[in-house]
Amino acid sequence: MTQGAGQEPVVRTATLRDFRVPPYARVPVQGRTEEPPAGHPGTLDEIVRPVADPTLHLGLGAASRVPLTPPVSLSAAVPGHPGNAFPDDELPEGYTPTERDLPVINRGDTVQVRVDPVPSPAPAPASGEGPGPLYVVGDVHGYFDELVAALREQGLIDDNGAWSAGNARLWFLGDFTDRGPDGIGVIDLVMRLSAEAAAAGGYCKALMGNHELLLIGAKRFGDTPVNSGAGTATFQAAWLLNGGQKHDMDRLQDVHLQWMSRLDAVVEEDGHLLMHSDTTAYLEYGSTIEDVNETVHEIINRNDADEVWDLFRKFTKRFAFRDDAGPQAVQELLSTYGGSRVVHGHSPIPYLLGQVGTEDGEGGSGPGVDGPHVYAEGLAIAMDGGVTMAGKLLVVQLPLHG
């Protein structure tokens, strides 16, 4: 498979300031042909505003940047709920993820428990009873080559990209597309490995990430206005703002949509509660894992744009586990759904460690991510290595040792 054929080079970013609307946002989507006037500011008001302009679109020049929210210190964050970086009294009513919400974080704001994964040999094919070793994969975001290299390094696939791990169990934590060059290639690979792993006595499964919800919404609803509570938004505009790739949209097929729509939101494996987002918003959808997954599937199947948008918005919340009340938030999830540790993606480890987000970091070698980030008194494991900002795409075996 090739990465992003025919697209402009993808430039990874190392600072918060550089989370901008990328050049591919200039490409019309779903038949849109209008171009913005010169000097178009590209502010959030162009994306979330009252329904007044039927030509709502996002078309920014390569140098245009989306205004960022001001840095938010950890001391300003609300402990525990609502599971994101903003205090309730500072949130606009109906806050939506069409606004950047990754703050500048100083090192030391989050308490880390250092646990180094022990390198292990390639898992052997099934030779007896019982499940095989358990592996998890962090956010991929379209970086197909990096994913293939990481899976091969762990012995999960061979040189031809075929499943070679026997009865091993592999879980992807969501966010397959957007920002990187070949999101559909990533989905195709995961779908193929699912079949090959099952045939070998193991399995390869995936969870629903907020970017899966975003892509489903952009394809199904496009420019249909949704009620964000703070004006009007559209899935298409949010998809572009958050790294949507036209090349992915062009190749998106019904089989991909059906597969994404059936993904579970949360599972428990070997005492690990696996979920995409570091938020307590899952608690709003059910008191058991089965209830949460059933509710999420029902919302997607009802095909109501406002309902899917609200689900997407809540799954975009983050940082519920990072401050002093983080362990309590994790314990609430564990006591409700089971397990002894939460394993999540979504929030890049470089932000949790304060390795990016300052102007001084620009032009450096990128964040140094060696492995998962264990924090919240050892109760949470962050798996998004920040591959979109020259970090690392993480594939690790659980449990961690050290």
Side-chain angles (χ1 to χ4, degrees):
M1 300 181 185
T2 59
Q3 287 198 24
Q7 291 207 128
E8 299 178 43
V10 174
V11 179
R12 301 189 194 180
T13 58
T15 67
L16 180 63
R17 189 181 71 182
D18 277 342
F19 273 91
R20 71 192 73 172
V21 176
Y24 49 74
R26 294 174 293 165
V27 181
V29 177
Q30 295 183 346
R32 306 190 67 84
T33 58
E34 60 269 33
E35 289 292 333
H40 186 277
T43 65
L44 184 63
D45 291 337
E46 293 300 316
I47 301 162
V48 180
R49 62 183 178 187
V51 182
D53 182 1
T55 62
L56 176 67
H57 69 285
L58 180 66
L60 306 184
S64 299
R65 297 185 180 184
V66 175
L68 299 172
T69 55
V72 178
S73 67
L74 188 62
S75 60
V78 173
H81 295 290
N84 60 45
F86 298 101
D88 279 337
D89 56 2
E90 294 182 11
L91 268 175
E93 184 180 354
Y95 166 76
T96 74
T98 53
E99 191 171 6
R100 296 293 180 193
D101 69 341
L102 287 176
V104 175
I105 307 174
N106 295 320
R107 186 183 298 275
D109 283 339
T110 180
V111 179
Q112 180 184 25
V113 178
R114 182 67 184 179
V115 180
D116 296 320
V118 176
S120 58
S127 57
E129 299 294 329
L134 174 64
Y135 293 81
V136 291
V137 184
D139 299 35
V140 182
H141 281 300
Y143 284 90
F144 179 86
D145 287 348
E146 287 81 352
L147 173 61
V148 169
L151 293 173
R152 185 177 294 139
E153 182 179 359
Q154 290 286 358
L156 295 166
I157 62 174
D158 60 24
D159 290 341
N160 296 318
W163 180 262
S164 61
N167 69 338
R169 297 167 291 159
L170 178 63
W171 274 100
F172 284 80
L173 299 181
D175 279 8
F176 301 104
T177 68
D178 304 334
R179 300 196 178 108
D182 193 7
I184 299 302
V186 170
I187 292 176
D188 284 335
L189 174 64
V190 177
M191 292 173 65
R192 175 171 60 79
L193 291 179
S194 297
E196 294 177 356
Y203 62 71
C204 170
K205 299 183 180 181
L207 293 179
M208 175 77 70
N210 62 305
H211 280 261
E212 280 67 64
L213 291 168
L214 181 58
L215 184 58
I216 291 171
K219 181 66 173 181
R220 286 185 181 176
F221 308 118
D223 278 334
T224 300
V226 292
N227 182 15
S228 70
T232 299
T234 73
F235 270 103
Q236 178 175 298
W239 174 71
L240 286 169
L241 178 64
N242 287 278
Q245 295 270 353
K246 182 180 183 296
H247 190 57
D248 284 342
M249 186 64 77
D250 290 343
R251 295 182 297 155
L252 186 62
Q253 301 175 24
D254 287 343
V255 64
H256 301 127
L257 290 170
Q258 293 166 4
W259 180 80
M260 288 189 292
S261 297
R262 291 194 296 265
L263 297 178
D264 285 338
V266 57
V267 297
E268 189 271 332
E269 288 277 6
D270 296 353
H272 297 88
L273 188 64
L274 309 182
M275 56 182 57
H276 174 70
S277 304
D278 46 328
T279 178
T280 54
Y282 293 89
L283 295 168
E284 300 180 35
Y285 294 96
S287 58
T288 67
I289 289 176
E290 292 76 15
D291 289 344
V292 173
N293 292 331
E294 182 178 351
T295 301
V296 169
H297 294 154
E298 288 177 352
I299 290 173
I300 295 174
N301 290 332
R302 278 197 293 269
N303 212 30
D304 181 282
D306 286 328
E307 276 195 308
V308 177
W309 176 267
D310 190 59
L311 179 65
F312 163 59
R313 177 179 67 86
K314 288 174 180 175
F315 277 21
T316 304
K317 293 181 178 181
R318 62 176 82 247
F319 298 139
F321 315 144
R322 71 176 190 185
D323 58 9
D324 291 340
Q328 180 181 353
V330 178
Q331 286 283 17
E332 186 174 3
L333 288 164
L334 295 175
S335 63
T336 302
Y337 301 130
S340 57
R341 265 184 173 177
V342 164
V343 182
H344 70 85
H346 189 50
S347 290
I349 292 171
Y351 279 96
L352 292 172
L353 293 178
Q355 294 176 336
V356 297
T358 64
E359 303 295 337
D360 296 338
E362 199 162 41
S365 58
V369 176
D370 298 322
H373 175 51
V374 183
Y375 67 118
E377 297 180 357
L379 295 174
I381 302 175
M383 281 290 301
D384 183 353
V387 66
T388 62
M389 57 187 74
K392 186 175 183 180
L393 201 162
L394 296 177
V395 179
V396 300
Q397 184 177 353
L398 297 177
L400 301 180
H401 301 284

